[in-house]
Amino acid sequence: MQVKLSNGKIIPIEMHKIKIVQKARLAPIGERLTAIEGAGYNTFLLRTRDVFLDMLTDSGTNAMSDNQLAAMMVADDAYAGGESYYKLLDSVREVLGFEFCLPTHQGRAAEHLLAKVFVKPGDQIPMNYHFTTTKAHFELCGGTVHEIFCDGALETTSTNQFKGNIDLNKLKALIEKYGPKKISFVRMECTTNLIGGQPFAMGNLREVSAMARKNGIPVVIDTSLVSENAYFIKRREKGYENKSIGEIIKEMMSYADLTYMSGRKSTCVRGGLIATNDKTFFNRVREWLPVYEGFLTYGGMSSKEVEAMAVGMREMCEYEVASSSADLIQYFVDQMVEAGLPAVTPAGGLAGHLDAMKFLPHIPQSQYPAGCLAAAVYLVSGARPMERGTVSMDRDKNGNDVFSDIELARLAVPRRVYTMAHMEYVVDRLKWLMAHRDLVAGLKFVEEPPVLRFFFGRLAPLGDWGSKLAAAFKADFGDAC
Ligand SMILES: Cc1ncc(COP(=O)(O)O)c(C=O)c1O
């Protein structure tokens, strides 16, 4: 939540108390250099013992509530018919308004099942923007992903409050071009991850849904960050100021025929699910659930996580929970902008993002500026970002790099984990890096998996820029930082 201080300054205030803590360690710069070299300049390959602030992702890294932890203690570990599932089902019915629920071990497992059931070779899947695993699953089944985002969605400095909107003219043109039968479904992602966690407006969702349904095309919402998208609708869209987060989520879901989520985000657990009111969809997905995930009543999740998800689903409807990371991200982004850093604006739902092409304008996309920035940020701060640019795109059929629309280094802000002091520390180190950015050069792949290469790929610096940057840092801050 935000509060205004007597001097007029607005700050994010924690609406929770911290009861359990995990010790953090800031490895000195020399150790960080060894660690990033050992990780092939890929922040995914760092060990957490070398990471001070883990800002790689908000996925599965959020602090759970006392009620979620308590619920885990009463989990029913039955293979079939476990009571924990029925608690989750009650929450899904109450919060999302869907009758049927299929748990999965995480979000991409839900995507896998949806791809298996809905996507045939030659199918087209329009969406506001792709997510890495979403695209991989749909393409592996022979589908083509179309990103039909609104004008200005890719402008990293913007005042557009809803860069996650779909362009209705593009949707209409796609339906006319391919015909409704070739379109598996229209996918709307809550706070489009890869373009800076940007939300869509309820008005846009309503119109997208009306057009799709008129043509007999199902609407699928990726609700991984539904709580945050609902919060932005409440804060930014006229007519929703006085609606509760729960009411907004319910209305969003009324425009969908099916939803799936990574429960690792808004519900703060390690799991996922698919939910729908359509019995045929439910039955078609259920056929495959035991093959890939597990029996219906746990779907690959531990029953402890199923219990915690039932609680997290209700808690994400609380204003204090929905706003918890969004308001800290807003503060973080405001601080970055004030410091003259090229942060993505408006602030989004899962992270503070830096535009790497503006931060490192001397590094061409062929040398992976977002990867360079992510590695450099780790080196100078111990905070671990994630590359969200060309490294996160796989090569085309001819082996050429596919340049990403935008090159971002993402500093995720997991819910209820970090504080204002952490944000200020990171901004300070980013300012230092900006002043020394000429020391940073490009990267090249030395080991490269063919699919989702960003997870395990290893890169090497062009020139020994890691050591030079570390030496400059040491000269200013000494060995200990
Ligand atoms: C929007 C979105 N959809 C799907 C996924 C995949 O979920 P998971 O990581 O639980 O497999 C993610 C993960 O970050 C995501 O952000």
Side-chain angles (χ1 to χ4, degrees):
M1 211 166 89
Q2 292 180 327
V3 285
K4 196 174 187 175
L5 301 182
S6 41
N7 65 5
K9 186 176 172 181
I10 292 174
I11 58 161
I13 193 146
E14 288 83 3
M15 295 304 288
H16 51 263
K17 292 187 287 182
I18 297 164
K19 288 209 255 188
I20 295 183
V21 294
Q22 181 181 356
K23 204 168 156 182
R25 173 177 177 260
L26 175 55
I29 181 75
E31 278 184 38
R32 299 202 296 268
L33 177 62
T34 308
I36 197 70
E37 283 175 348
Y41 281 73
N42 178 353
T43 56
F44 269 98
L45 301 180
L46 289 165
R47 287 182 62 163
T48 52
R49 64 176 185 195
D50 299 317
V51 171
F52 174 40
L53 305 174
D54 196 358
M55 301 176 84
L56 186 77
T57 178
D58 62 333
S59 194
T61 55
N62 303 298
M64 297 173 88
S65 71
D66 47 1
N67 285 322
Q68 285 184 291
L69 289 171
M72 289 174 105
M73 299 307 290
V74 295
D76 181 356
D77 277 327
Y79 188 96
E83 285 305 316
S84 304
Y85 169 74
Y86 293 98
K87 293 184 201 163
L88 177 61
L89 188 59
D90 283 347
S91 291
V92 166
R93 287 177 177 163
E94 184 185 310
V95 174
L96 304 179
F98 289 117
E99 200 48 30
F100 306 110
C101 163
L102 304 116
T104 59
H105 81 271
Q106 63 182 89
R108 70 203 61 190
E111 289 168 341
H112 174 218
L113 294 172
L114 287 190
K116 184 119 191 104
V117 167
F118 287 93
V119 182
K120 297 179 296 304
D123 273 6
Q124 315 296 320
I125 310 108
M127 55 187 69
N128 48 358
Y129 207 75
H130 80 276
F131 182 68
T132 50
T133 53
T134 322
K135 188 169 174 191
H137 279 300
F138 296 172
E139 286 181 349
L140 285 168
C141 284
T144 302
V145 165
H146 295 269
E147 289 154 327
I148 49 170
F149 44 79
C150 62
D151 284 349
L154 304 180
E155 283 166 21
T156 53
T157 310
S158 169
T159 52
N160 181 348
Q161 303 288 300
F162 290 108
K163 286 195 275 183
N165 280 355
I166 274 184
D167 182 324
L168 289 154
N169 291 325
K170 291 184 196 160
L171 179 59
K172 187 162 174 273
L174 262 182
I175 298 172
E176 280 166 8
K177 181 167 176 196
Y178 294 101
K181 291 214 155 30
K182 279 277 163 210
I183 299 182
S184 320
F185 47 78
V186 181
R187 173 179 173 274
M188 285 291 263
E189 180 178 310
C190 290
T191 89
T192 41
N193 190 323
L194 297 188
I195 57 171
Q198 303 294 314
F200 56 74
M202 188 76 88
N204 184 254
L205 172 62
R206 194 181 302 123
E207 289 185 278
V208 166
S209 175
M211 189 181 288
R213 285 177 169 174
K214 201 172 98 199
N215 287 280
I217 301 168
V219 177
V220 170
I221 303 186
D222 178 330
T223 32
S224 305
L225 277 146
V226 68
S227 174
E228 284 69 15
N229 204 119
Y231 175 66
F232 288 128
I233 288 174
K234 183 174 172 67
R235 293 293 303 265
R236 300 177 182 179
E237 191 166 351
K238 209 162 170 299
Y240 287 91
E241 309 81 347
N242 299 319
K243 299 242 187 234
S244 70
I245 300 292
E247 285 169 328
I248 295 172
I249 292 177
K250 253 307 186 15
E251 184 180 339
M252 288 164 82
M253 294 304 115
S254 72
Y255 302 124
D257 299 291
L258 181 147
T259 187
Y260 75 91
M261 77 183 330
S262 165
R264 300 169 73 89
K265 293 168 178 274
S266 284
T267 65
C268 299
V269 297
R270 287 134 300 249
L273 60 74
I274 297 173
T276 181
N277 278 326
D278 189 313
K279 188 85 198 277
T280 313
F281 291 166
F282 169 73
N283 283 336
R284 286 172 66 196
V285 177
R286 192 179 62 174
E287 274 174 37
W288 292 106
L289 195 67
V291 179
Y292 292 108
E293 295 297 300
F295 192 72
L296 174 69
T297 53
Y298 69 95
M301 286 169 75
S302 98
S303 51
K304 288 190 171 45
E305 302 282 344
V306 175
E307 282 279 350
M309 196 177 193
V311 175
M313 176 85 52
R314 290 200 171 97
E315 288 182 345
M316 76 179 184
C317 298
E318 291 167 20
Y319 184 87
E320 294 76 9
V321 175
S323 63
S324 58
S325 64
D327 288 345
L328 189 54
I329 292 165
Q330 178 74 61
Y331 181 81
F332 182 31
V333 169
D334 288 348
Q335 296 284 305
M336 287 199 275
V337 171
E338 213 177 295
L341 298 163
V344 173
T345 54
L350 73 148
H353 296 79
L354 286 164
D355 182 332
M357 286 201 278
K358 289 186 184 157
F359 204 112
L360 301 172
H362 53 288
I363 301 181
Q365 278 192 286
S366 56
Q367 294 176 14
Y368 313 123
C372 302
L373 184 56
V377 169
Y378 166 71
L379 202 48
V380 304
S381 67
R384 163 160 78 160
M386 187 191 290
E387 193 274 0
R388 295 280 72 159
T390 297
V391 173
S392 296
M393 303 284 291
D394 291 332
R395 288 181 193 268
D396 66 16
K397 288 194 286 288
N398 304 317
N400 297 314
D401 263 328
V402 176
F403 293 143
S404 176
D405 290 327
I406 44 182
E407 297 279 343
L408 303 179
R410 173 180 102 179
L411 286 146
V413 180
R415 283 157 211 79
R416 304 177 291 208
V417 173
Y418 297 126
T419 62
M420 274 171 64
H422 291 127
M423 299 303 120
E424 294 199 9
Y425 163 79
V426 173
V427 173
D428 179 76
R429 293 306 191 251
L430 291 174
K431 259 164 70 179
W432 184 90
L433 181 61
M434 187 75 167
H436 296 79
R437 61 182 167 170
D438 292 345
L439 292 173
V440 182
L443 289 170
K444 64 167 192 243
F445 268 100
V446 288
E447 241 180 82
E448 190 180 339
V451 180
L452 298 177
R453 62 180 178 172
F454 62 92
F455 282 125
F456 299 114
R458 301 180 74 82
L459 300 104
L462 299 170
D464 192 16
W465 64 258
S467 307
K468 289 180 192 137
L469 189 64
F473 185 89
K474 218 179 203 176
D476 283 359
F477 296 98
D479 278 329
C481 288

